[in-house]
Amino acid sequence: MTENHVAVKTGEVNRLHYLRSLAKTAHAFAAAKFGLDALEPFLTDLILNRSDDVSEYVGDDPFVAPIEDIDGHTLQIFLGEAMGGPEQGLLTVRFQLYPFLDSPAHLVVVGKALVDIGARLRGEV
């Protein structure tokens, strides 16, 4: 017997709720990595549902990053600092859910660095 592809409708995904969950995840990751004292957070109102201006801080990453040896991992997440231009010094989280399925990657601007993030990323502080 040959199997055919079958589609199943599992429900609607609210884009605002999805992007808000990405913002929450990125904020939590940055806070866990460096502590809240290391940044001026931009996402608090969005996370607490006091703002719907999600497109100001959350978007898709148009670049394809190299996939590390993931062996079935469901998440790739990186924290960095924007370099150059008006975004200089802003903390950004890049993450991708289910990278082995070539799902879209997202960029989230988390906040403004209040400490030398480069030094922290290099382990100097």
Side-chain angles (χ1 to χ4, degrees), residues 2-125:
T2 309
E3 293 184 22
N4 293 321
H5 294 281
V6 178
V8 177
K9 185 173 181 171
T10 59
E12 299 294 321
V13 175
N14 181 301
R15 180 167 170 77
L16 177 62
H17 293 171
Y18 173 69
L19 295 177
R20 182 173 277 131
S21 72
L22 297 178
K24 289 176 185 181
T25 303
H27 176 84
F29 181 70
K33 185 90 169 162
F34 295 123
L36 285 175
D37 64 327
L39 65 126
E40 175 188 324
F42 291 170
L43 303 175
T44 307
D45 286 340
L46 185 63
I47 290 169
L48 295 175
N49 208 23
R50 296 189 296 224
S51 170
D52 291 336
D53 197 14
V54 69
S55 64
E56 187 76 18
Y57 305 103
V58 182
D60 293 335
D61 184 356
F63 302 104
V64 177
I67 296 178
E68 296 176 0
D69 185 18
I70 53 176
D71 263 348
H73 287 115
T74 58
L75 173 67
Q76 277 191 334
I77 189 164
F78 307 97
L79 177 65
E81 184 176 13
M83 304 302 289
E87 294 83 19
Q88 178 71 37
L90 298 183
L91 293 176
T92 304
V93 172
R94 181 196 187 276
F95 62 99
Q96 185 177 16
L97 300 168
Y98 304 103
F100 59 91
L101 295 176
D102 293 326
S103 61
H106 305 284
L107 293 174
V108 180
V109 178
V110 176
K112 182 178 180 183
L114 299 176
V115 298
D116 184 350
I117 294 300
R120 287 201 183 185
L121 287 171
R122 291 186 300 274
E124 297 170 1
V125 178

